[in-house]
Amino acid sequence: MVSRPSSDRSGATAVDGPLRPSDHLDKTGERGAADDGSPAQPVLGVVGWLRWGWRQLTSMRTALVLLLLLAIAAIPGSLVPQRSADPNGVTQWRATNPDLYPTFETLQLFDVYSSVWFSAIYILLFISLIGCVLPRTKHHWKALRARPPRTPARLSRLDDHVESRVAVPEGEDAAGHAAHAVDLAEAQLRSARYRVERYDRNGVASVSAERGYLRETGNLIFHGALVGVLLSVGIGGGFTYTGQTVITEGDGFVNSLGLGYTSFNPGRFVDTEALTPYSITLDRFDVTYAPPPSGQAGDFAAHVTTRFPGQKAEDQVIEVNHPITMAGDRVYLMGNGYAPTITVRNGAGDVVFSESVPFLPQSPTMTSSGVVKIPDTGGEQLGLVGFFYPTVATLQSGALTSAYGDLVDPRLTFFVYEGDLGIDNGDARSVYALDTDGMTEIAGRNADTPSLELSPGQTVQLPGGRGSVTFEDETKNGAPESVKRYVSLSIHNDSSAPWVLAFAILAMVGLFTALFVPRRRMWVKATPGGDAVTLEYAGLARGEDPAIAIAVADLAQRHGRALDDEPASAPGVPANVN
Amino acid sequence: MSFDDISVLLLWTAIAIYTLGFLAFTVDLARRSELAIKAQDAKARTLVAAGGGGQTIDEIHAEEAAAKVALEAAPSKRGRYLFARLGVVLTTIGFLFHVGADVTRGIAAGRVPWSNNYEFALTGTMLVVMVFLTVLVKYDLRFLGAFINGLIVILLGGAALAYYVEVVPLSDPLKSVWLVIHVFVASLASAFFALAFALSIVQLLQSRRERIALAAVGSDAAPRTRLPFLRTLPSAEVLESLAYRFAIIGFVLWTFTLIAGAIWANDAWGRYWGFDTKEVWTFVIWVVYAGYIHARATRGWRGTRSAWLSIVGFTAVLFNFTIVNQFFQGLHSYSGLPS
Ligand code: HEM
């Protein structure tokens, strides 16, 4: 509205208004005036500067600027792949932008949310927050005990003001009737959950009422709970661990660092020796495929048997969105694939390898790739690079592909290499990759023998009498399908998560009250004048309060009606004039 | 004819009716402009002799007070703008078709109709209209009708053309009660943000006009306003506090969305927060609106600057829904669109 005087100015005393940062608009006194660049300040000492800096940091304006900076600073992390969420994306990005990579790396653009600049913003913001909330809490604590403020001398100057005159009933004096009317108003306001205080003087009776302290309480709870969320996340990170494992049908996993995990990331304070050694065995993995052309896979369900040491086994199902809980760990189903069982014999006919090997899916139709490494053959070391097609089909180029994710016509192909696997020197090597430097291809595109191609139950000979490779048909061993499936599980322990949730809900509740509980002051004043009493009702909103005018009108109406209904001449109502 | 075909048919019917609603509301604004200009001309004529074209401050205040009363008048006591009433009727009919389109899509899919971009748009815009029509009972916001209908026609038409996908079964991560709750509440929050956004824009126009009108107080020339209908609308301050009221409802719902999303992420992916692109944007939007609420309480930021934050906030909501869903890499690849 054009040049409307702020309603805050009128009447209200500063004493018990919520203490807010110096530039906060809702303040009542002009405490902040000195901050707004008052010119002739004395020379500041170190303490003075510190105090000035602190006041700046905890000001509303700084909070706002830091909030906006936080929003802006969060954006790059959605544009550039982040190491924490998408490490492969970072590798790819590096390959496509080799020139920019070092600059981005220096700017920590691949680790935005743990970068120095992002951290600086949110840490400053939270320091500002704490510096803001603590004094306000203290002040609010006092305000909760303070009396509602004195009735302003001229209520008519308030925006929301209603006035009426009532005649003094027969046989009563005006002052007595005024006091009685205010008694009634006091009772009404009290039952409407206002805190009330009488200010009667010189025959003029008035009641001052205030409600909605909950608004400031909610605001403080909200901001405090944000600190709670941050602390829970920060401290909780040290006690969190996550690990991954892969289990093939029929196999099991033991929750122990040496035994079960393919990878494990403990927080700083995790005692890795103290893991509960429960076990999980994968009995069966279910999945359904929509008919072609969509072929979409769904209804993933890992049927497992779980067991704590010395206790009875239990059957459970792990599904997407439905992790199971083991000793405080949550066990998630993250992925699945095929693990063809492969048996390799050497030239002498001895079995040198027989395992179900997990193959990594490469496409929605489950074309999968995997590697077999055989260090001990009795002769040269062997390495097999394989592709698996659950439903084999031939592309126009002649290359094989999978047409469908389910096992309709499974096929396994291998390139075979001979030589040094490079695993003797102790380097950690991925089980999913074969380093073919220093190896000779003996079957495949660059060899005299074409790549091996097998269906379940089939055996093919390796060239040069080196032995044979068998793709086992698992139905022969009583399995329901010719090829076993595997699942990858993710195991998480985050004991801070419940705290984070609790603080988040607390913040939400605080926010709700802070935004929707109206905080207002009301006054009812009765001024005797001859044979009539002038009644004045006025209200003052403290903060956002769209309904204040209605509230004042309501009060006037209800009070007027009550006065009419209950003639003051009724006996037993002592005139209460202090 | 399958339920999905019926849904598409109903949808295009709704778009056509909303277009008519848009036209009706636009005519309404034009007529209000005409009235405002006439009033001004009449006044200018009487004042030529007296020698003054600008309004007096009292006249400005009277105009504002009248507009505020009109804003809060009960439906039966409102200005009888013919075309505004026609606009409301058309919007309501369009809305009924829109609901029909949404429900039949849900029946066709056998689940809630908000699990890919096309359906988010269908349901989200429906909620915008629902909130708008509901709010009309309390406040006379018919002056927003042209804006809201225009926005809906663009979003809905755009979605029907660019985002339409056949019904396909849900992927496993989406099979969760949180799909029902989290996504719905996010859409509802967006609807409130949309209304706040519309009001903030009108607020900016209005405060510009007010500045000009104030400058013209006491001067000879009548102020020239490009959009004279603004004179029949509430003052910038009233518009601002109305925008704020919708924005804070949206903000509480968005806070809930954020928390519900984290709970869902914890079930589906084993962590409640991982700065996935969609999570980042949900967070950014939340922080922008927190900034907006702060701005309203910060000296020097109330008014025009905070209105810009509300506009930026809703722009981010739209950006999150369109560009981020479609083009940004992340776990939340639920647009249903080929990448
Ligand atoms: C993490 C940073 C922060 C966030 C997300 C945040 C968010 C919010 C939100 C959502 C509100 C509205 C709800 C309410 O009234 O309680 C609010 C209000 C408020 N905040 Fe913050 N805040 C933050 C930091 C701060 C800081 C650092 C200060 C102090 C300088 C501050 C001072 C206030 C004040 C005084 C209000 C009341 C505004 C009013 O009366 O309308 N906040 N904040």
Side-chain angles (χ1 to χ4, degrees):
Chain A
M1 197 178 286
V2 177
S3 68
R4 165 187 186 236
S6 158
S7 60
D8 291 349
R9 232 178 36 189
S10 40
T13 50
V15 196
D16 53 347
L19 183 71
R20 294 281 167 88
S22 53
D23 47 356
H24 186 272
L25 282 176
D26 186 35
K27 73 190 160 75
T28 48
E30 287 302 309
R31 257 170 312 183
D35 301 342
D36 298 337
S38 96
Q41 295 202 344
V43 183
L44 295 172
V46 177
V47 178
W49 277 108
L50 283 177
R51 194 172 283 160
W52 178 85
W54 180 247
R55 253 212 320 268
Q56 292 303 310
L57 181 61
T58 57
S59 80
M60 203 67 189
R61 195 168 321 212
T62 308
L64 174 56
V65 169
L66 287 172
L67 271 173
L68 298 181
L69 274 180
L70 185 69
I72 295 169
I75 294 175
S78 71
L79 301 168
V80 180
Q82 296 298 294
R83 217 161 255 135
S84 55
D86 182 15
N88 293 335
V90 178
T91 315
Q92 255 173 32
W93 198 95
R94 180 180 197 163
T96 36
N97 307 281
D99 296 341
L100 272 178
Y101 182 84
T103 317
F104 273 47
E105 180 70 1
T106 314
L107 294 174
Q108 299 180 298
L109 283 172
F110 302 109
D111 305 282
V112 166
Y113 306 105
S114 53
S115 69
V116 175
W117 44 277
F118 190 81
S119 311
I121 295 173
Y122 78 76
I123 290 171
L124 277 178
L125 182 56
F126 273 87
I127 293 175
S128 167
L129 177 59
I130 293 167
C132 179
V133 161
L134 284 182
R136 276 170 63 192
T137 309
K138 183 162 155 251
H139 191 273
H140 186 54
W141 184 251
K142 280 199 211 132
L144 282 174
R145 284 129 214 280
R147 313 192 313 166
R150 192 166 290 285
T151 310
R154 289 168 62 191
L155 284 180
S156 56
R157 280 177 46 179
L158 295 182
D159 279 348
D160 299 295
H161 173 254
V162 174
E163 201 173 302
S164 66
R165 280 171 72 80
V166 292
V168 176
E170 204 75 27
E172 226 185 308
D173 69 336
H177 189 60
H180 170 73
V182 172
D183 283 345
L184 201 63
E186 185 181 344
Q188 280 186 336
L189 284 166
R190 201 191 296 274
S191 70
R193 323 244 346 246
Y194 279 81
R195 191 178 306 174
V196 294
E197 186 72 29
R198 279 295 278 270
Y199 290 101
D200 293 356
R201 187 179 291 166
N202 306 334
V204 178
S206 77
V207 59
S208 168
E210 177 149 17
R211 58 152 290 160
Y213 292 82
L214 207 53
R215 188 184 182 91
E216 179 73 354
T217 310
N219 181 301
L220 294 172
I221 287 177
F222 169 76
H223 286 88
L226 290 186
V227 179
V229 169
L230 189 76
L231 288 182
S232 310
V233 172
I235 299 172
F239 295 97
T240 301
Y241 57 83
T242 64
Q244 279 72 40
T245 187
V246 168
I247 313 179
T248 308
E249 282 176 325
D251 278 356
F253 153 87
V254 177
N255 184 38
S256 153
L257 212 46
L259 300 174
Y261 287 100
T262 52
S263 69
F264 191 79
N265 311 308
R268 203 171 312 154
F269 310 120
V270 173
D271 179 2
T272 50
E273 302 296 309
L275 302 183
T276 311
Y278 57 79
S279 70
I280 300 176
T281 306
L282 179 66
D283 302 321
R284 194 176 87 237
F285 178 72
D286 287 348
V287 51
T288 59
Y289 292 92
S294 103
Q296 187 183 320
D299 299 328
F300 306 111
H303 297 262
V304 296
T305 305
T306 58
R307 182 184 274 119
F308 285 102
Q311 289 184 23
K312 255 180 61 190
E314 196 183 341
D315 289 336
Q316 301 200 65
V317 184
I318 314 176
E319 291 166 290
V320 178
N321 275 320
H322 299 283
I324 62 169
T325 303
M326 300 289 294
D329 293 356
R330 303 239 287 170
V331 184
Y332 296 85
L333 176 60
M334 299 307 276
N336 71 89
Y338 292 101
T341 308
I342 297 153
T343 303
V344 180
R345 289 183 174 79
N346 63 12
D350 301 329
V351 172
V352 291
F353 182 91
S354 186
E355 268 178 43
S356 299
V357 181
F359 273 48
L360 286 181
Q362 308 290 326
S363 77
T365 50
M366 300 297 282
T367 298
S368 313
S369 68
V371 163
V372 177
K373 296 178 186 179
I374 312 164
D376 305 315
T377 59
E380 293 256 30
Q381 296 186 331
L382 278 182
L384 282 65
V385 176
F387 281 93
F388 175 73
Y389 313 96
T391 300
V392 74
T394 311
L395 292 173
Q396 264 179 343
S397 65
L400 297 185
T401 185
S402 178
Y404 192 52
D406 211 354
L407 287 173
V408 176
D409 182 9
R411 195 67 49 86
L412 189 59
T413 65
F414 282 117
F415 288 20
V416 185
Y417 297 84
E418 188 180 61
D420 183 8
L421 286 171
I423 50 180
D424 298 336
N425 57 15
D427 286 359
R429 293 287 160 117
S430 165
V431 292
Y432 297 108
L434 181 70
D435 180 4
T436 55
D437 292 351
M439 300 192 84
T440 320
E441 188 171 331
I442 57 171
R445 210 174 291 134
N446 304 313
D448 295 339
T449 313
S451 58
L452 315 182
E453 192 176 327
L454 303 112
S455 297
Q458 234 181 342
T459 299
V460 293
Q461 298 298 319
L462 289 166
R466 289 177 179 89
S468 67
V469 177
T470 307
F471 178 10
E472 303 287 352
D473 180 353
E474 286 288 345
T475 50
K476 299 273 161 50
N477 303 324
E481 293 180 303
S482 57
V483 182
K484 283 191 186 180
R485 296 170 190 266
Y486 73 89
V487 295
S488 56
L489 300 181
S490 199
I491 292 151
H492 297 233
N493 191 305
D494 185 353
S495 39
S496 69
W499 289 95
V500 176
L501 182 63
F503 278 119
I505 290 172
L506 191 64
M508 176 96 194
V509 172
L511 183 66
F512 199 85
T513 45
L515 290 176
F516 299 119
V517 169
R519 172 153 190 199
R520 54 175 76 123
R521 291 182 180 157
M522 292 282 206
W523 292 278
V524 179
K525 183 149 94 175
T527 314
D531 55 357
V533 170
T534 305
L535 292 171
E536 285 178 278
Y537 310 86
L540 178 65
R542 314 281 290 121
E544 215 70 42
D545 185 358
I548 177 85
I550 297 170
V552 173
D554 267 2
L555 174 67
Q557 211 173 42
R558 250 180 328 123
H559 183 246
R561 220 179 307 129
L563 261 187
D564 290 347
D565 288 353
E566 182 208 321
S569 51
V573 184
N576 178 7
V577 184
N578 303 342
Chain B
M1 211 166 167
S2 72
F3 272 108
D4 194 36
D5 295 334
I6 297 175
S7 168
V8 171
L9 202 64
L10 290 172
L11 181 63
W12 281 107
T13 314
I15 293 174
I17 300 174
Y18 284 139
T19 310
L20 293 178
F22 168 75
L23 293 175
F25 279 123
T26 311
V27 172
D28 171 56
L29 291 182
R31 293 186 56 138
R32 289 194 202 203
S33 287
E34 224 170 277
L35 287 178
I37 289 172
K38 266 195 200 129
Q40 205 172 41
D41 287 351
K43 179 164 171 286
R45 243 176 276 120
T46 59
L47 284 185
V48 167
Q55 290 173 292
T56 66
I57 192 85
D58 287 341
E59 282 169 334
I60 293 179
H61 281 173
E63 206 171 79
E64 281 177 355
K68 184 155 195 295
V69 170
L71 174 74
E72 285 163 5
S76 58
K77 300 205 180 81
R78 285 184 190 158
R80 316 210 133 239
Y81 303 114
L82 175 67
F83 278 91
R85 289 164 84 189
L86 184 63
V88 173
V89 170
L90 286 169
T91 309
T92 310
I93 298 174
F95 176 67
L96 294 178
F97 277 92
H98 195 164
V99 172
D102 204 53
V103 170
T104 43
R105 173 74 182 192
I107 294 173
R111 53 169 163 74
V112 288
W114 51 84
S115 55
N116 54 49
N117 252 25
Y118 171 66
E119 295 173 7
F120 300 149
L122 199 59
T123 305
T125 49
M126 183 180 87
L127 292 175
V128 173
V129 183
M130 186 189 84
V131 171
F132 176 62
L133 289 175
T134 311
V135 167
L136 275 188
V137 177
K138 183 131 193 266
Y139 300 108
D140 187 358
L141 291 184
R142 291 178 296 178
F143 59 86
L144 287 185
F147 188 94
I148 297 287
N149 275 272
L151 186 73
I152 297 298
V153 168
I154 291 170
L155 292 181
L156 211 46
L161 293 174
Y163 287 160
Y164 177 78
V165 285
E166 307 262 337
V167 170
V168 290
L170 286 184
S171 64
D172 267 31
L174 285 180
K175 289 178 192 153
S176 166
V177 280
W178 293 109
L179 171 68
V180 181
I181 302 169
H182 165 79
V183 181
F184 181 79
V185 175
S187 309
L188 192 60
S190 309
F192 279 96
F193 287 150
L195 219 56
F197 166 70
L199 284 164
S200 296
I201 288 182
V202 183
Q203 177 200 335
L204 286 181
L205 295 173
Q206 185 70 303
S207 79
R208 190 171 154 276
R209 186 194 68 84
E210 283 171 1
R211 268 198 310 279
I212 297 173
L214 263 189
V217 166
S219 78
D220 287 349
R224 291 174 46 82
T225 319
R226 236 172 291 154
L227 299 169
F229 67 82
L230 287 171
R231 288 182 51 185
T232 65
L233 304 192
S235 66
E237 191 182 311
V238 171
L239 289 168
E240 176 177 3
S241 81
L242 209 53
Y244 177 77
R245 251 172 272 171
F246 294 129
I248 58 177
I249 296 174
F251 184 75
V252 170
L253 293 171
W254 197 260
T255 308
F256 177 84
T257 303
L258 202 65
I259 298 174
I263 297 175
W264 187 6
N266 197 36
D267 281 349
W269 301 319
R271 86 286 184 291
Y272 52 85
W273 195 263
F275 283 109
D276 184 57
T277 46
K278 204 68 203 277
E279 293 169 350
V280 170
W281 278 91
T282 307
F283 174 73
V284 167
I285 291 164
W286 188 76
V287 175
V288 169
Y289 278 102
Y292 166 73
I293 293 174
H294 275 213
R296 288 255 314 151
T298 305
R299 177 160 304 174
W301 278 78
R302 211 181 169 104
T304 303
R305 282 201 204 174
S306 73
W308 277 111
L309 284 181
S310 152
I311 292 169
V312 168
F314 187 69
T315 312
V317 169
L318 284 183
F319 182 82
N320 186 24
F321 163 67
T322 53
I323 310 293
V324 175
N325 271 3
Q326 206 175 343
F327 299 110
F328 283 33
Q329 293 286 326
L331 292 168
H332 288 79
S333 302
Y334 302 136
S335 69
L337 303 167
S339 42

